[in-house]
Amino acid sequence: MAVARTVVVKAVNAGLWSLQRSRSRSLQQAQTVRALSTIMSPPSKAVVYEHHGPPDSVTRVIELSPVEVKENQVCVKMLAAPINPSDINRIEGVYPVRPQVPAVGGYEGVGEVYSVGSAVKGLSAGDLVIPSPPSSGTWQTYVVKDQDMWHKISKDSPIEYAATVTVNPLTALRMLEDFVTLNSGDSIVQNGATSIVGQCVIQLARFRGIHSINIIRDRAGSEEVKERLKAFGADEVFPESQLEVKNVKGLLSNIPEPALGFNCVGGNAASLVLKFLRQGGTMVTYGGMSKKPITVSTSSFIFKDLSLRGFWLQKWLSADKAKECRDMVDYLLCLAQEGKLKYEMELVPFDNFHTALDKALGKLGSQPKQVIKF
């Protein structure tokens, strides 16, 4: 009887051991299947900075290891990304909103879907996408972000315009629509007219039948600059020195006094915008390239009742405007695709990033917008 019990116990133990082996083997197989099904991005080449400071000193190009593409994420092969003044300010550490360091540079751009996570719907390999709203980290060859961070655009979109459509053209569109009701025949005045925002303001205003008065810096070749802006649709273009007169409005022919002005320079250039504005006019400031303060005379407030406002695209985007933003991006890209919205850019190979950065920093004189091509 004891022998029989011993045999039964041994059989039970053998069965348990066999079951444990089977479960262990199944677990290993499951882990292997999961490992094989894990999607990884390719290694990425990126512009990084580990601390804030002068961009030409603190940035370097390095190789980043592959990262996992989780079930709701999309891996995008970047095609192009611009160097904007706000990108430079983020690296310098002076922009109000910036990523924690170490960080990858860049804020907008365009890319092609490389791979998608298992739960992603509506996007597939080969789709053309932009980060919308924009987000940090576009100066690298591969970017992995959640699906809802990407906006699918038409494959017919010109790559350089898709890369730059959000920050500058959208700023121009919103400023024309958000502050003063403008009708066909009205006018606006702006400094910084050669910037991409300035070029877009000229063209978007012209589409609406709105005249534009444009102020540019005194520089060599200013006549050539004036002709380029007039080709975009500018009605009047004045170097700053031409406006050092008491009555600037006497320089206008059949253009009405502007109700709305845009300032991205500050200092004397802002004062020139104010001189043009009509009674009750509004000046919107969206930049301060000269790093000089805006000085307003007491009479401008008392006798002209002028208003000073500010516009920051990032604040507008953060106000639950994702759908509206994407609709406007599609509209602007459609204009670009039809050749109705143009601005000056220079496409630069990624290998020449630091040359492009020097140009963006103004170290090589006045240059068009620098757009990195990956």
Side-chain angles (χ1 to χ4, degrees):
M1 191 70 177
V3 172
R5 286 179 180 171
T6 301
V7 171
V8 170
V9 170
K10 287 182 177 179
V12 170
N13 287 340
L16 289 172
W17 182 75
S18 176
L19 181 61
Q20 288 172 342
R21 280 184 58 193
S22 177
R23 287 179 174 173
S24 177
R25 193 180 303 115
S26 298
L27 181 60
Q28 289 174 345
Q29 289 173 343
Q31 289 173 337
T32 301
V33 169
R34 281 198 296 270
L36 291 173
S37 64
T38 297
I39 302 173
M40 303 295 290
S41 74
S44 186
K45 190 176 180 182
V47 177
V48 302
Y49 53 102
E50 296 174 353
H51 54 272
H52 296 119
D56 51 350
S57 300
V58 301
T59 56
R60 58 195 182 100
V61 179
I62 66 169
E63 293 283 342
L64 298 179
S65 300
V67 297
E68 181 182 352
V69 181
K70 297 178 182 177
E71 64 176 10
N72 64 337
Q73 291 185 324
V74 177
C75 175
V76 171
K77 181 183 186 298
M78 294 302 294
L79 300 175
I83 303 177
N84 288 319
S86 55
D87 296 322
I88 291 169
N89 293 155
R90 284 184 179 88
I91 297 170
E92 292 170 333
V94 298
Y95 203 72
V97 176
R98 53 189 182 270
Q100 290 186 335
V101 291
V104 175
Y107 187 62
E108 66 174 333
V110 63
E112 184 178 79
V113 173
Y114 179 82
S115 61
V116 300
S118 59
V120 170
K121 299 186 184 305
L123 289 176
S124 56
D127 286 342
L128 202 62
V129 294
I130 62 172
S132 181
S135 57
S136 297
T138 57
W139 291 354
Q140 57 182 317
T141 50
Y142 291 91
V143 178
V144 176
K145 293 182 183 291
D146 289 348
Q147 176 183 2
D148 60 7
M149 298 294 291
W150 298 106
H151 174 48
K152 182 178 175 179
I153 60 175
S154 168
K155 287 188 177 182
D156 294 328
S157 301
I159 294 301
E160 66 272 29
Y161 287 94
T164 56
V165 69
T166 306
V167 171
N168 292 297
L170 189 54
T171 292
L173 182 59
R174 291 281 19 114
M175 291 196 304
L176 281 168
E177 295 188 352
D178 286 356
F179 295 93
V180 173
T181 299
L182 296 170
N183 299 309
S184 179
D186 288 340
S187 68
I188 61 96
V189 59
Q190 65 170 344
N191 58 35
T194 58
S195 68
I196 288 189
V197 172
Q199 294 173 54
C200 290
V201 163
I202 292 170
Q203 295 167 84
L204 294 172
R206 185 192 63 196
F207 299 152
R208 292 160 168 76
I210 298 165
H211 303 287
S212 65
I213 303 158
N214 302 275
I215 303 168
I216 61 174
R217 289 184 297 111
D218 290 282
R219 63 173 117 182
S222 59
E223 283 302 316
E224 180 186 343
V225 172
K226 183 184 297 188
E227 291 308 311
R228 285 207 310 269
L229 294 180
K230 288 198 169 184
F232 283 135
D235 291 275
E236 296 285 0
V237 182
F238 299 110
E240 291 181 11
S241 60
Q242 191 177 345
L243 301 177
E244 298 301 330
V245 294
K246 186 172 183 180
N247 181 23
V248 295
K249 294 165 189 175
L251 299 172
L252 303 179
S253 50
N254 297 318
I255 300 176
E257 294 179 81
L260 180 62
F262 302 132
N263 164 53
C264 68
V265 180
N268 182 60
S271 299
L272 294 176
V273 170
L274 293 171
K275 287 173 73 173
F276 273 105
L277 289 178
R278 75 185 187 197
Q279 180 84 16
T282 297
M283 182 175 79
V284 179
T285 293
Y286 66 98
M289 291 189 292
S290 72
K291 298 183 179 179
K292 294 178 180 177
I294 298 169
T295 303
V296 187
S297 67
T298 303
S299 61
S300 293
F301 286 123
I302 297 175
F303 304 119
K304 290 185 69 178
D305 192 25
L306 298 184
S307 298
L308 303 185
R309 301 287 302 277
F311 180 80
W312 185 27
L313 181 67
Q314 184 147 346
K315 181 180 179 182
W316 184 87
L317 290 171
S318 65
D320 196 24
K321 300 283 188 180
K323 174 65 169 62
E324 191 175 350
C325 169
R326 293 179 177 189
D327 289 343
M328 288 185 293
V329 161
D330 291 341
Y331 163 70
L332 291 165
L333 282 177
C334 184
L335 292 178
Q337 187 178 329
E338 294 172 355
K340 296 178 180 178
L341 183 66
K342 302 177 182 179
Y343 39 86
E344 298 169 352
M345 294 173 280
E346 181 182 359
L347 284 168
V348 182
F350 191 22
D351 289 342
N352 296 340
F353 169 76
H354 279 98
T355 299
L357 181 61
D358 284 346
K359 290 182 178 181
L361 290 169
K363 294 166 69 174
L364 301 176
S366 179
Q367 300 286 335
K369 171 71 67 179
Q370 298 295 294
V371 180
I372 305 304
K373 187 175 181 180
F374 297 98

